[in-house]
Amino acid sequence: MKRVREEEIFPRNPNKTYGLMELVKGSSTRVDRGPDDMVSSWPHLLIREAALFAGCFAAMLALAVFFPPPLEAPANPLRPPNPAKAPWYFLGLQELVAYDAFWGGLGIPGLVVVALMAIPYVDRHHSGIGRWFAKSRRTATTLWTMYVVVVIVLIIIGVYFRGPNWAWFWPGEMPKEVQ
Amino acid sequence: MSVKLVKPEGGSVPPSGGRRPGQPGMLARINRAIYRQAPEVWDNLRPATLGHNIYKSIYRTTAFPKTERERSEAFFNSFLLHIQPAKIEKHALRFTYTFGLGLLSMYLFLLLTISGLMLMFVYVPSTEQAYSRMLDLRSAVSFGGILRGMHFWSANAMIAVVFFHMCRVFYTGAYKPPREFNWVVGVILMVLTLVLGFTGYLLPWDQLAFWAITVGAGIAGKANWVSDHINALAPPNAPKMPAIGDLMRWGLLGSDVVGQEALIRFYVLHVAVLPVILTGFIVYHMWRIRKDGGISSPKESPE
């Protein structure tokens, strides 16, 4: 009698190499230990995102309170400061302009942007994805680090080592105010 | 409370406001009628029920989900959260993998939008007034200095964070197929961020701003090199190519020098044109993350 009922609910299929053995109580095998190592975004992702926003907001507020933004004298087209400097993120460009006007200011930066966009179409090898500084990508990592160092060094030179007439000054020797 | 009564046919309204002694009032009759027809109406107005129903009409899921299904629904059914996956790989959550740099860039953009909109209530893009409005922010406007400070620091931080985010993506090989195009979008986002920073730099109209933009616009003028060289190569009687750098500089400044025309151009670009374009690219960048299979994972690589 019991056997017959089981057959009705779970009809036998000759193509199947497995059959129903037993019904047990319990959670599904996927819960919390799925083969793809997934967790719920709620709360695991959400709490991290909220914490990041809180940290970001607090940091910006603290900077705003303790380090007020600069405000110099009103703009005066007749009194150029010496040197007149671009915003810090363009001082690398300004440094390059000092060597060659066109190539420093437009040629090289334009080529850099094009080169950056071209990277994923040049380097398509499927290795080292998802790992920091993967060993198999040593060349790529080295090239990129060189690029980053050049960008940062140029900006640091522009900010701290260039004085009147874009001449080189060591930080201690920088004249206070030149008009 | 006044209840207007319809005058009964063939009789006058009694002085007691329509109520004859011994008869229930109008409100009581309405109440009874409603209760007879739909007894749950008054129950629906109980504060706890009403509150619950309003919440449920906005959020279809519980505020504190407990089961796996409810947790998935919390992301799936939320307008703000649905762009993110309901389940996420543990690797993607490791702070030291991303350092949260991408999201941080978006948060900084959000702070910049909010603080920028508030600054717009004070700022006037005029060479006569801009600087004095800066002084007002510092002295006359409540929390004006902090507001400008947050805008200033968030802008500088955003430029740095976007660059660091690009470094993270490079070092972890996250630009490789299928994410090539999202890297390209990221480069566009970085350039837009720089241009937004540059256009915002002029607005305080102080010496720093004025001369920085003079230098920056001067760099655009260097493109004359291209037209000069083309003209030098062209035959002597061929039509001359216009000085391309001067055109670019003029387009940016609206004049030969940095003045009122430049200020209004930079202002409109900074508060309207560029933020809208940037928002569009950010939305696409994020949609694209999902379509490319979430953030990169070591599982994708044979190593």
Side-chain angles (χ1 to χ4, degrees), chain A residues 5-161:
Chain A
R5 256 189 72 76
E6 247 182 45
E7 288 275 342
E8 278 169 8
I9 302 167
F10 304 104
R12 269 172 203 261
N13 182 342
N15 295 329
K16 282 183 181 171
T17 55
Y18 57 90
L20 181 77
M21 295 295 119
E22 197 177 14
L23 291 170
V24 291
K25 286 206 165 191
S27 53
S28 109
T29 48
R30 288 277 303 232
V31 174
D32 277 344
R33 51 198 153 87
D36 44 3
D37 219 15
M38 306 284 258
V39 292
S40 293
S41 297
W42 202 107
H44 297 98
L45 176 63
L46 200 59
I47 195 104
R48 283 165 172 81
E49 291 180 337
L52 189 69
F53 183 76
C56 173
F57 186 82
M60 292 305 119
L61 192 61
L63 282 168
V65 169
F66 295 112
F67 303 96
L71 186 65
E72 292 188 359
N76 184 350
L78 303 176
R79 285 189 67 208
N82 188 1
K85 287 189 179 182
W88 63 267
Y89 39 86
F90 283 144
L91 281 185
L93 285 191
Q94 203 177 348
E95 176 67 17
L96 290 176
V97 169
Y99 304 120
D100 185 284
F102 170 75
W103 286 106
L106 290 163
I108 293 174
L111 290 176
V112 165
V113 169
V114 172
L116 285 176
M117 288 183 175
I119 286 173
Y121 301 98
V122 175
D123 174 20
R124 299 180 66 82
H125 196 271
H126 249 273
S127 70
I129 298 178
R131 290 176 196 81
W132 278 84
F133 313 116
K135 281 199 184 101
S136 59
R137 300 183 60 230
R138 191 164 282 161
T139 317
T141 306
T142 311
L143 286 172
W144 183 266
T145 307
M146 282 161 63
Y147 165 69
V148 171
V149 167
V150 168
V151 168
I152 292 176
V153 165
L154 282 175
I155 288 175
I156 288 176
I157 290 174
V159 175
Y160 296 108
F161 295 92

Side-chain angles (χ1 to χ4, degrees), chain B:
Chain B
M1 168 168 294
S2 69
V3 179
K4 278 229 165 152
L5 284 175
V6 181
K7 199 175 168 184
E9 301 252 355
S12 61
V13 180
S16 59
R19 188 197 303 189
R20 263 166 267 158
Q23 270 216 328
M26 184 58 123
L27 284 174
R29 269 185 282 153
I30 292 171
N31 182 18
R32 247 185 236 170
I34 291 174
Y35 203 81
R36 243 192 333 266
Q37 298 273 314
E40 74 281 2
V41 167
W42 296 128
D43 292 338
N44 289 345
L45 291 175
R46 270 190 220 142
T49 315
L50 187 65
H52 175 79
N53 286 341
I54 290 175
Y55 177 87
K56 273 287 188 181
S57 72
I58 302 169
Y59 302 104
R60 306 245 160 102
T61 45
T62 165
F64 294 98
K66 287 181 187 69
T67 66
E68 285 292 307
R69 186 199 161 94
E70 285 171 348
R71 287 175 168 192
S72 298
E73 283 174 349
F75 264 68
F76 203 72
N77 290 341
S78 159
F79 175 70
L80 281 178
L81 299 180
H82 87 277
I83 54 166
Q84 296 174 308
K87 290 207 151 215
I88 189 163
E89 205 187 317
K90 276 184 190 160
H91 173 263
L93 292 173
R94 274 174 44 217
F95 183 69
T96 50
Y97 182 59
T98 61
F99 293 96
L101 288 164
L103 192 60
L104 206 52
S105 320
M106 198 208 71
Y107 282 160
L108 289 166
F109 181 60
L110 191 70
L111 289 181
L112 282 161
T113 307
I114 295 167
S115 60
L117 281 170
M118 288 161 98
L119 287 169
M120 280 176 75
F121 284 112
V122 178
Y123 184 75
V124 180
S126 133
T127 54
E128 306 281 316
Q129 283 197 49
Y131 186 77
S132 68
R133 295 293 172 141
M134 289 295 121
L135 297 178
D136 285 353
L137 275 174
R138 218 156 53 173
S139 56
V141 179
S142 304
F143 302 108
I146 290 176
L147 199 58
R148 183 175 165 232
M150 285 197 73
H151 200 74
F152 173 86
W153 283 112
S154 301
N156 285 291
M158 187 175 164
I159 288 164
V161 167
V162 164
F163 186 72
F164 293 146
H165 174 54
M166 189 165 72
C167 291
R168 191 287 288 175
V169 170
F170 189 93
Y171 284 131
T172 56
Y175 57 83
K176 297 190 177 203
R179 300 188 180 79
E180 311 100 301
F181 191 64
N182 220 11
W183 165 273
V184 175
V185 174
V187 174
I188 294 170
L189 281 170
M190 186 193 66
V191 173
L192 283 171
T193 306
L194 287 171
V195 178
L196 259 166
F198 184 66
T199 50
Y201 210 83
L202 179 64
L203 304 186
W205 205 251
D206 63 345
Q207 279 287 76
L208 200 64
F210 183 90
W211 291 103
I213 302 309
T214 304
V215 170
I219 292 176
K222 309 295 186 216
N224 278 347
W225 185 90
V226 177
S227 46
D228 288 349
H229 278 250
I230 289 173
N231 286 337
L233 291 172
N237 50 0
K240 289 270 178 263
M241 188 182 176
I244 192 169
D246 289 349
L247 280 179
M248 277 169 59
R249 213 170 69 89
W250 216 91
L252 203 59
L253 300 183
S255 160
D256 290 330
V257 291
V258 179
Q260 178 61 59
E261 296 307 319
L263 184 57
I264 196 78
R265 278 177 195 217
F266 277 54
Y267 176 74
V268 173
L269 286 172
H270 187 73
V271 305
V273 179
L274 292 168
V276 169
I277 296 173
L278 189 70
T279 305
F281 274 102
I282 290 174
V283 169
Y284 183 73
H285 197 59
M286 291 186 157
W287 177 81
R288 192 75 207 205
I289 298 171
R290 293 294 305 280
K291 295 297 156 185
D292 292 341
I295 75 163
S296 52
S297 154
K299 286 196 181 111
E300 296 170 36
S301 159
E303 190 190 352

